[in-house]
Amino acid sequence: MKLAQLKKMAADGEKIAMLTCYDASFAKLMELAGVDILLVGDSLGMVLQGAENTLNVSMHHMTYHTKSVATGAPNTFIIADMSLGSYEHDNEAAYKNAEWLIRSGAHMVKFEGGGSKVKTARYLVERGIPVCAHLGFTPQSVNQLGGYKIQGKTDESAQQILHDAIAMSEAGVGFIVLEMVPAALAKKITDAIKTPTIGIGAGVDCSGQVLVTQDLLGIYTGPAHKNPTEFKSPRFVRNFLKDTNSVQAAVESYVKAVKDKSFPALEHSY
Ligand code: KIV
């Protein structure tokens, strides 16, 4: 599917179903299951590499996995994450790294943060690189944010996220991922801008939803060095495999639940 079709879908009120994907076999399965967007997320640092966070993922990792996903799903829109350190310092380096992801098969690149990143977004968009912004909880800043915490709970922080979303939208980004923010704030942002929003832990009123696929299948039990019994899935996760009999059916059930707005329910939202 092309970006224009995805935007029309959002404008017509049809919810966009996005999932993370890191390899060709899952990409093919997801394309057949009707997933609208595949996100090659740097969450691969956690779910594929067994790390505690995304901080050690490199552009080599991201381009390697993007190539595999693009091979498996030639007809699906692919967004790929820019890894920590690949876009923050200067716009030319950001451009080179974004170009590397596009040459690897991504249709759009995603990076985290508002503020000074708005200029980076505008720089890339003006040079023909489609950009997805990522606001709210931004995993690459986990140390600065003091852990995996909901963002936008105070008036000041909610205002900041809204302000960043408007600025990113004006800079021309194609989508805005909103992670772990109160559902009411995500709705306010979605209503305030033309750019479609994709929520994860951000309530049902975003233009679409994304989940980490290993979470959706109930197979992620925390970093490799930790005992699985110590791990508790975040509130926004639902195991779609539990009530189905195959991975394909679980993915199809996720797509259906996003489209008919039964996921996320109140119990998955903040
Ligand atoms: O890396 C990732 O998978 C992401 C999603 C959680 C949105 O950024």
Side-chain angles (χ1 to χ4, degrees):
M1 199 175 310
K2 299 267 190 280
L3 182 56
Q5 285 169 280
L6 290 163
K7 294 220 158 186
K8 179 161 187 323
M9 191 187 268
D12 292 347
E14 183 183 343
K15 299 284 180 186
I16 295 170
M18 171 156 124
L19 279 180
T20 66
C21 189
Y22 318 102
D23 67 41
S25 356
F26 267 96
K28 190 169 179 185
L29 180 148
M30 287 179 186
E31 184 162 291
L32 290 169
V35 178
D36 298 311
I37 304 178
L38 303 183
L39 170 65
V40 190
D42 62 354
S43 50
L44 67 84
M46 297 155 93
V47 296
L48 299 191
Q49 299 174 343
E52 195 143 17
N53 51 47
T54 60
L55 307 185
N56 280 306
V57 174
S58 68
M59 282 303 295
H60 283 277
H61 299 142
M62 292 313 306
T63 50
Y64 172 87
H65 288 282
T66 300
K67 272 184 200 151
S68 302
V69 170
T71 303
N75 304 307
T76 304
F77 195 81
I78 297 169
I79 302 181
D81 266 340
M82 300 193 68
S83 57
L84 177 72
S86 70
Y87 59 91
E88 300 89 334
H89 311 297
D90 75 88
N91 288 342
E92 243 175 81
Y95 180 86
K96 284 254 168 288
N97 285 316
E99 181 193 16
W100 192 9
L101 283 172
I102 300 289
R103 285 193 198 280
S104 304
H107 302 101
M108 179 178 276
V109 301
K110 171 164 90 56
F111 56 80
E112 297 181 5
S116 63
K117 314 293 173 14
V118 174
K119 276 196 184 146
T120 312
R122 185 171 291 115
Y123 186 89
L124 296 188
V125 170
E126 280 172 357
R127 284 157 184 78
I129 305 257
V131 171
C132 174
H134 183 153
L135 302 174
F137 178 73
T138 45
Q140 291 174 6
S141 309
V142 61
N143 292 330
Q144 196 172 33
L145 298 174
Y148 290 81
K149 292 184 180 155
I150 310 159
Q151 304 298 306
K153 276 190 4 183
T154 64
D155 282 353
E156 197 190 353
S157 123
Q159 269 307 110
Q160 186 59 54
I161 297 171
L162 174 63
H163 174 87
D164 282 337
I166 293 171
M168 279 293 189
S169 180
E170 286 170 359
V173 302
F175 296 104
I176 299 181
V177 166
L178 296 173
E179 179 163 358
M180 283 174 75
V181 297
L185 173 62
K187 176 169 173 22
K188 190 170 176 187
I189 292 170
T190 305
D191 290 346
I193 58 177
K194 284 222 174 82
T195 308
T197 57
I198 310 285
I200 173 163
V204 74
D205 291 310
C206 294
S207 321
Q209 299 292 327
V210 59
L211 270 188
V212 169
T213 296
Q214 277 75 355
D215 283 340
L216 168 154
L217 299 174
I219 59 172
Y220 181 66
T221 54
H225 67 281
K226 288 237 167 106
N227 187 329
T229 56
E230 287 169 35
F231 178 75
K232 193 171 169 290
S233 286
R235 180 186 170 103
F236 56 80
V237 167
R238 176 174 147 195
N239 180 343
F240 284 84
L241 188 60
K242 224 168 41 183
D243 302 318
T244 53
N245 56 11
S246 71
V247 173
Q248 173 96 20
V251 172
E252 282 168 5
S253 164
Y254 166 76
V255 173
K256 183 172 173 299
V258 169
K259 302 274 176 196
D260 69 19
K261 305 178 200 162
S262 57
F263 178 80
L266 277 183
E267 74 209 66
H268 306 114
S269 309
Y270 300 102

